[in-house]
Amino acid sequence: MVLTPAERAKRYREKLKENPDKYEIQRQKQLKRLKKRQKKVTELSEEEKHKQRKIWREQKRKQKENKKTKPKVTSKEVSKKLRSEGHSLKIKHLNVCKNYKKALNYIKILKLRLDNLRKRFSRVQQMHEKDITVKK
């Protein structure tokens, strides 16, 4: 069985987690790589500081807007919704059961028709064979 690269990496990570010493070493390397790319605000130039702070302000503004737009749901509303969903699920279940029974009955009818048609076909075939033998 050929593994995809994602599966291979997942197995590698799982194997690493089994050995705590190796896992800690790998984690430290990963942190070092991440920190190398990331600069502190004190290391940035004035222009870069201005840009970074602007980005942060925008992110915070969007975060606040999203928080305001999300509807606040109370526990009473949740319980009412769950009860109504439970009721609708029961109705759906009953409808599914009813449709299932109808489908089973329909299958029975179709099987009976199929058997009758097979018998009729075999009779016609036998009659045809008799006609051929008589004509010869």
Side-chain angles (χ1 to χ4, degrees):
M1 180 175 98
V2 179
L3 296 175
T4 64
E7 291 171 335
R8 199 175 301 127
K10 185 177 179 183
R11 281 191 180 176
Y12 174 74
R13 286 191 304 270
E14 287 171 357
K15 210 174 193 182
L16 262 180
K17 287 179 185 176
E18 291 172 4
N19 189 346
D21 298 330
K22 282 186 178 180
Y23 180 65
E24 187 61 32
I25 292 168
Q26 184 68 19
R27 200 174 70 79
Q28 292 298 328
K29 285 182 183 177
Q30 181 69 16
L31 283 172
K32 195 175 183 180
R33 267 197 306 274
L34 288 174
K35 286 183 179 180
K36 190 188 297 184
R37 277 189 268 148
Q38 191 176 16
K39 290 185 180 178
K40 293 182 180 179
V41 178
T42 55
E43 297 171 355
L44 298 174
S45 68
E46 288 300 318
E47 204 174 295
E48 290 173 331
K49 284 182 188 179
H50 182 67
K51 286 181 183 177
Q52 183 61 46
R53 287 177 178 149
K54 190 175 184 179
I55 290 170
W56 287 338
R57 279 193 303 273
E58 280 295 312
Q59 288 174 345
K60 191 65 177 176
R61 186 182 57 77
K62 286 180 183 178
Q63 182 186 23
K64 284 181 179 180
E65 285 177 6
N66 286 340
K67 193 174 181 181
K68 285 180 184 177
T69 58
K70 285 184 182 176
K72 294 180 182 176
V73 181
T74 62
S75 61
K76 287 183 180 179
E77 292 173 350
V78 171
S79 62
K80 284 181 183 178
K81 190 174 182 181
L82 287 175
R83 274 189 249 129
S84 66
E85 284 178 3
H87 181 68
S88 64
L89 286 175
K90 286 180 185 176
I91 292 171
K92 285 180 184 177
H93 177 71
L94 291 174
N95 287 338
V96 168
C97 290
K98 192 188 314 180
N99 289 339
Y100 179 72
K101 288 179 182 176
K102 281 184 183 178
L104 285 178
N105 287 335
Y106 188 65
I107 289 171
K108 277 185 184 177
I109 291 168
L110 290 176
K111 283 184 179 179
L112 284 173
R113 284 185 187 172
L114 181 65
D115 288 339
N116 289 339
L117 289 173
R118 279 187 180 147
K119 289 176 185 175
R120 188 184 299 172
F121 178 74
S122 65
R123 284 188 216 115
V124 169
Q125 207 173 15
Q126 288 173 358
M127 293 293 289
H128 186 68
E129 287 174 2
K130 284 182 183 178
D131 287 344
I132 291 174
T133 55
V134 171
K135 287 183 182 177
K136 286 185 180 180

